[in-house]
Amino acid sequence: QVTLVESGGGLAQPGGSLRLSCVASKMRLGLYDVNWYRQTPGKQREMVATIGRDGRTNYADSVSGRFTVSRDNAENSAYLQMNTLKPEDTAVYYCNARLRSTNYWGQGTQVTVSS
């Protein structure tokens, strides 16, 4: 069974950093575009960063300059480095792997930014 497992969430202070990881099993993550989404209660899931199979990246305006998405195909993994965190970054973060109409999702990891 294909799985994506996120880790690295937790509690951070405003201005702090966290690094999220997404590890894929039973699939070659390198064949997929990888997207990071986040969601807060009562709101739609929002894409925050994406890294294509070719390594090109794109970011939501709200995180541009603070977050960095990367991937290590040899490790079948992707990462989201989050710096200068703000309270409004508090959300559950999800890893998504997409290839045409095929989508895989992780279970999510909670990020809370609070003093």
Side-chain angles (χ1 to χ4, degrees), residues 29 31-35 50-53 71 96-99:
L29 193 61
L31 298 178
Y32 293 76
D33 296 330
V34 176
N35 310 293
T50 185
I51 183 164
R53 286 168 287 169
R71 65 192 305 160
N96 164 254
R98 182 175 301 149
L99 175 62

Side-chain angles (χ1 to χ4, degrees), residues 52-101:
R53 286 168 287 169
D54 58 2
R56 283 189 288 185
T57 60
N58 197 26
Y59 299 92
D61 289 344
S62 57
V63 307
S64 183
R66 300 188 298 121
F67 290 11
T68 302
V69 61
S70 61
R71 65 192 305 160
D72 185 339
N73 292 335
E75 295 293 327
N76 228 25
S77 298
Y79 307 95
L80 185 66
Q81 177 67 44
M82 306 187 296
N83 298 329
T84 320
L85 284 162
K86 303 176 180 180
E88 51 264 42
D89 294 320
T90 296
V92 178
Y93 284 72
Y94 297 90
C95 174
N96 164 254
R98 182 175 301 149
L99 175 62
R100 300 187 192 93
S101 60

